[in-house]
Amino acid sequence: MKPKHILIMTTGGTIAMIEDPATQTVKPVENAADLVGAIPQLKDVARVSVEAFSNIPSPHLTTEQLTDLGRAVKERLSRPDVDGIVITHGTDTLEETAYYLDLILPPGLPVIVTGAMRSSNELGADGPINLLNSVRTAASEVAVDQGVLVVFNDEIHAARFVTKTHTSNVATFQSPAVGPIGFLDKRSVQIRHIPKPHAHIPVDSLVAEVGLLKMAVGMDDSLIRYLVQSGSKGIVIEALGQGNIPPMVVPGIKDAIQHNVPVVLVSRCYNGIVQDVYGYEGGGKHLRDLGVLFSNGLNGQKARIKLMVALRETVDLEQLKEYFEQE
């Protein structure tokens, strides 16, 4: 059988960095192809080519660059000689890039996002095995039509559920609500359960002016009012518990909704979903009655990505509500 052609698109991050022993800091490597050259086992898995899309730390990623990456991935997937794509990425914002691609790309050829927690010349570097496993997954038939996947530490995660849970551990990427959808061993790529189909929003850009606020004890509405006054097109609020906020925040939410700025509610808890259970001021039922949109289990950063994408397609609150209440 003809080996599959897997395109590796590098964007930077720790996987593309080396540690300077003198300063104990890490810096980018100059040649992205070096990532592949260091893993001779790749040639036994697929025919691999490398494209250096960018070489930046993932905290430096802008919405414009994210848009450009999405367009580039769409174009590469349309090429008849490409059977799958692996994107190497810094871990800090990896889940946001993966989820953005998952929203805008229809199911089809495998798209895998991976990275590393240790630079390439550190003891126990995890980049090579993560990259090898990602190419193995992209070349596997079981990854077709599964949406965008994140492969890390021998596990396969759906982009919708995965999140970074530890600042430095190589097992940082977890899916708290559902666990990994599959795993890799030395001989096989296993997908054990398939998530339900989710919203697909086929846009090629996003609305950048969306804010994200985290609730905590004693907060007021000053930050929400600032976002509205500064031109935000949408706001995501990480609420307390099942979807509750301090009462002093409520006037700002009313003001945002009156100015046609959609407000999406998620929980700062990493398990469970927000619900309209509590009827007191600032409780979930009160917020639902005001017109706040409830997200079905997304964390704050992913809900923001989804709102940024959805607002490119519509500003209709009912359609936005439908997007956020479905998977």
Side-chain angles (χ1 to χ4, degrees), residues 31-269:
N31 188 354
D34 291 345
L35 295 174
V36 173
I39 312 172
Q41 296 89 341
L42 284 171
K43 68 179 186 299
D44 299 324
V45 177
R47 182 169 63 89
V48 171
S49 60
V50 182
E51 176 184 337
F53 178 81
S54 64
N55 193 7
I56 60 172
S58 66
H60 291 191
L61 184 70
T62 66
T63 53
E64 291 81 6
Q65 289 167 325
L66 184 56
T67 293
D68 289 343
L69 178 62
R71 291 171 178 166
V73 171
K74 279 185 179 180
E75 193 277 329
R76 307 312 185 261
L77 287 172
S78 70
R79 296 179 181 177
D81 66 322
V82 171
D83 298 306
I85 293 178
V86 171
I87 300 166
T88 62
H89 199 286
T91 60
D92 285 351
T93 61
L94 184 150
E95 67 190 85
E96 289 159 86
T97 292
Y99 186 56
Y100 172 68
L101 295 173
D102 198 44
L103 282 173
I104 67 169
L105 298 174
L109 294 177
V111 176
I112 314 298
V113 188
T114 194
M117 295 302 291
R118 296 173 182 159
S119 54
S120 58
N121 62 339
E122 283 187 76
L123 186 65
D126 55 330
I129 187 61
N130 286 341
L131 184 54
L132 176 61
N133 280 342
S134 294
V135 172
R136 290 176 61 202
T137 304
S140 170
E141 291 298 327
V142 300
V144 175
D145 292 329
Q146 300 305 321
V148 175
L149 303 173
V150 172
V151 172
F152 225 92
N153 199 42
D154 295 340
E155 294 181 339
I156 303 169
H157 294 265
R160 182 192 180 280
F161 301 112
V162 73
T163 190
K164 186 174 182 178
T165 64
H166 195 284
T167 59
S168 59
N169 195 298
V170 296
T172 182
F173 282 100
Q174 303 290 326
S175 297
V178 298
I181 68 168
F183 63 90
L184 299 100
D185 56 32
K186 291 184 178 180
R187 293 183 174 83
S188 63
V189 179
Q190 305 271 343
I191 298 253
R192 290 304 180 92
H193 66 90
I194 299 172
K196 294 191 300 182
H198 58 76
H200 168 56
I201 310 175
V203 299
D204 64 356
S205 62
L206 40 73
V207 174
E209 302 85 2
V210 174
L212 171 60
L213 297 177
K214 189 185 192 80
M215 293 292 101
V217 63
M219 289 185 69
D220 63 20
D221 65 350
S222 57
L223 293 175
I224 293 180
R225 290 189 183 275
Y226 171 78
L227 288 173
V228 173
Q229 292 165 8
S230 63
S232 288
K233 302 297 190 295
I235 299 171
V236 176
I237 294 179
E238 284 192 12
L240 311 171
Q242 291 189 69
N244 313 305
I245 64 172
M248 290 183 293
V249 181
V250 172
I253 289 180
K254 291 180 179 178
D255 182 63
I257 293 171
Q258 288 170 359
H259 283 86
N260 298 314
V261 177
V263 178
V264 174
L265 199 71
V266 303
S267 177
R268 70 179 193 179
C269 303

